[in-house]
Amino acid sequence: EAAVTQSPRNKVAVTGGKVTLSCNQTNNHNNMYWYRQDTGHGLRLIHYSYGAGSTEKGDIPDGYKASRPSQENFSLILELATPSQTSVYFCASGGTGQSSAETLYFGSGTRLTVL
Amino acid sequence: GQQVQQSPASLVLQEGENAELQCNFSTSLNSMQWFYQRPGGSLVSLFYNPSGTKHSGRLTSTTVIKERRSSLHISSSQTTDSGTYLCALERSFNKLTFGAGTRLAVCP
């Protein structure tokens, strides 16, 4: 089965600090995604990537940056963390093209608390 | 407003009962997907269903695009079915919009 690994599983950060969430996939998928999940909102798309070197803004990109240095790795970066960014973050990978949403494979999530 | 609305928000069943979960969407879509989220967080894809009916074991997904709805039917529920069920529509190019989910509890 396809594997997506996120680290860390839990993170506590201070307001104004820098936070990096990491994601690794061994599926050789071109597409990777970062979502956040908050009560009452389902999952919302932050950034996504079509392949190494590419990043695209999702629906709620403000306050976040993304980096895709290789096919396998996709990072989400909070340069100046704020309490409103306290959430559960999910990474996903899926598909080899841009034309349709094939099955997505999700990581186990990172619970981030910003104090 | 919300593009994807799921109902009910929560549901409690006795083991063996059936359930029908609904997803209504207000925009055009390329496809509809259903996911199961385990207690504790990770998501598993159940169906990729752009239209029509698909079956997988005790689960059936039906998407009717012209009516802008999709449903997930669970037959003969089991306690291990407990968790949250999420529908998501693809607007374009792999960008999914998720509903808020239906939280299901199946009691023995």
Side-chain angles (χ1 to χ4, degrees), chain A residues 31 33 35 37 40 42-43 45 48 50 59 90 97-104 106-108, chain B residues 2 30-31 33 35 37 40-43 45 48 86 90-91 93-100:
Chain A
N31 304 329
Y33 312 82
Y35 289 88
Q37 184 176 33
L43 281 78
L45 181 63
Y48 59 104
Y50 290 130
D59 297 321
F90 286 96
Q98 298 184 21
S99 62
S100 67
E102 301 166 34
T103 299
L104 291 190
F106 281 81
S108 299
Chain B
Q2 271 194 325
N30 290 344
S31 72
Q33 297 191 33
F35 294 87
Q37 186 170 25
S42 62
L43 282 82
S45 177
Y48 171 74
L86 297 157
E90 181 206 5
R91 299 160 293 163
F93 301 124
N94 279 288
K95 294 175 68 173
L96 296 182
T97 298
F98 282 82

Side-chain angles (χ1 to χ4, degrees), chain A residues 15-36:
Chain A
T15 297
K18 181 177 181 178
V19 177
T20 300
L21 307 183
S22 299
C23 180
N24 175 274
Q25 55 104 354
T26 58
N27 314 314
N28 199 33
H29 289 151
N30 287 348
N31 304 329
M32 296 186 74
Y33 312 82
W34 277 106
Y35 289 88
R36 62 178 283 177

Side-chain angles (χ1 to χ4, degrees), chain B residues 28-83:
Chain B
S28 59
L29 81 165
N30 290 344
S31 72
M32 174 63 71
Q33 297 191 33
W34 283 92
F35 294 87
Y36 167 69
Q37 186 170 25
R38 301 184 180 106
S42 62
L43 282 82
V44 176
S45 177
L46 297 175
F47 289 103
Y48 171 74
N49 186 7
S51 66
T53 299
K54 293 193 173 183
H55 302 277
S56 177
R58 295 180 294 104
L59 304 180
T60 301
S61 168
T62 300
T63 297
V64 184
I65 291 179
K66 64 180 180 180
E67 296 179 11
R68 298 196 170 182
R69 63 175 177 85
S70 183
S71 64
L72 178 69
H73 183 82
I74 304 172
S75 62
S76 304
S77 62
Q78 301 176 358
T79 56
T80 52
D81 295 331
S82 297

